[in-house]
Amino acid sequence: MIRKRKWQFTIFLIIMIAATYASSIITDFNALHGITTFPAALYWIFSNMLISQETLTRLPSILDKLLETIFMSIAATTTAAVISMFLGLMGSTTTRVNRAFSSLARFTASISRNLPVVAWALILLLSFGQNSLTGYLALFVGSIGFLTRVFIETIDEASQSSVEALRATGATYFQIVNKAVIPQCLPLLISWILFMIETNIRSATLVGILTGTGIGYTFDLYYKSMNYNVVALVTFSIVITVIIIELLSNYIRKVIL
């Protein structure tokens, strides 16, 4: 058994090396050249992307756009969580009403999840133009796919004993969901919602570049004008914000789990 696993690992390693080598040839990528130019790239970053005293005068406007991005991400996540909760209940084998609704919920989640947020932003951009609504909808649709999937899996993993006990007493569907399913799953559901908020704040930066909103638009504006000092300040603000939100999210998870 051990020898068989070693052979399987060796074969897998050979395949990965061959695939990497073939990909390098097809894409004309020179790994050695990339490694040798790395010090020059670091030198350019540290020599051009410095935050000066003059750059700090742009901080209030940057923070305004950053708050817009944060609030848009939270709004998109929380509203998507409501829809995803309904789809999760319909899609779960524990709480589904019938197979048709379950299949429809899973199909909706699959379509939403398999298209990246950037693709949704480009699709919605054609219909709604460059505005905050387009960014919100892109994050909203992307969140529905992910949250529905994890909500279905979370509900499926809930204990069946309390559900069966309530069914035996003649409880209605809503009583079963309210008294047996939601109390068991609520901590994990909140944890996934917090994780989605973190993810959407990161995604909103890229979506903002496409939709002309939030901190992404500010980053794109200064980047295209080659004002790299302000670009460094925008990047630093985004990184600090994401770290703070992640720390808060982790703290809330520890409290509820």
Side-chain angles (χ1 to χ4, degrees):
M1 179 64 69
I2 296 176
R3 182 175 296 179
K4 182 179 179 181
R5 289 182 178 179
K6 286 183 177 179
W7 273 109
Q8 289 176 344
F9 177 76
T10 303
I11 293 172
F12 174 76
L13 188 62
I14 293 172
I15 292 173
M16 290 300 297
I17 293 173
T20 303
Y21 181 72
S23 301
S24 300
I25 294 175
I26 294 171
T27 59
D28 196 24
F29 173 71
N30 190 331
L32 182 61
H33 177 70
I35 294 172
T36 55
T37 56
F38 191 71
L42 287 177
Y43 174 77
W44 185 92
I45 291 174
F46 287 110
S47 60
N48 289 276
M49 300 186 70
L50 296 175
I51 300 175
S52 62
Q53 187 67 32
E54 182 183 354
T55 305
L56 290 174
T57 60
R58 312 285 181 90
L59 187 59
S61 61
I62 292 173
L63 292 178
D64 285 341
K65 291 296 183 180
L66 192 57
L67 285 174
E68 178 186 337
T69 299
I70 293 172
F71 290 142
M72 181 173 66
S73 302
I74 293 174
T77 305
T78 51
T79 51
V82 175
I83 305 298
S84 297
M85 190 67 224
F86 172 76
L87 293 175
L89 290 172
M90 293 297 101
S92 172
T93 54
T94 303
T95 57
R96 67 185 180 188
V97 177
N98 54 54
R99 291 184 179 274
F101 281 127
S102 178
S103 299
L104 180 61
R106 291 175 179 270
F107 179 71
T108 302
S110 179
I111 292 178
S112 174
R113 188 178 66 258
N114 289 325
L115 277 177
V117 175
V118 175
W120 283 115
L122 291 172
I123 293 171
L124 295 168
L125 191 63
L126 300 175
S127 302
F128 298 95
Q130 286 190 321
N131 52 59
S132 299
L133 178 62
T134 305
Y136 164 81
L137 290 175
L139 296 174
F140 172 79
V141 176
S143 299
I144 284 179
F146 177 83
L147 289 177
T148 299
R149 176 62 182 271
V150 296
F151 283 5
I152 289 174
E153 293 178 355
T154 301
I155 295 171
D156 282 342
E157 292 174 0
S159 174
Q160 298 293 316
S161 58
S162 56
V163 175
E164 292 174 357
L166 284 175
R167 282 176 179 166
T169 60
T172 64
Y173 175 82
F174 293 104
Q175 289 173 334
I176 292 173
V177 170
N178 188 41
K179 300 296 184 181
V181 177
I182 298 298
Q184 291 186 67
C185 302
L186 190 59
L188 279 176
L189 298 181
I190 294 175
S191 179
W192 282 118
I193 292 171
L194 292 172
F195 173 79
M196 197 71 241
I197 290 175
E198 296 174 28
T199 304
N200 277 341
I201 290 175
R202 299 186 187 98
S203 301
T205 302
L206 183 57
V207 170
I209 295 175
L210 300 174
T211 60
T213 57
I215 196 65
Y217 172 73
T218 303
F219 178 91
D220 190 47
L221 179 67
Y222 288 114
Y223 180 80
K224 288 181 177 177
S225 62
M226 294 186 291
N227 193 339
Y228 298 123
N229 293 332
V230 183
V231 169
L233 181 59
V234 172
T235 305
F236 184 74
S237 301
I238 294 171
V239 171
I240 293 298
T241 301
V242 170
I243 291 174
I244 291 173
I245 290 175
E246 185 174 355
L247 290 174
L248 288 173
S249 178
N250 290 336
Y251 174 76
I252 295 173
R253 286 193 189 99
K254 288 180 181 179
V255 172
I256 63 175
L257 291 178

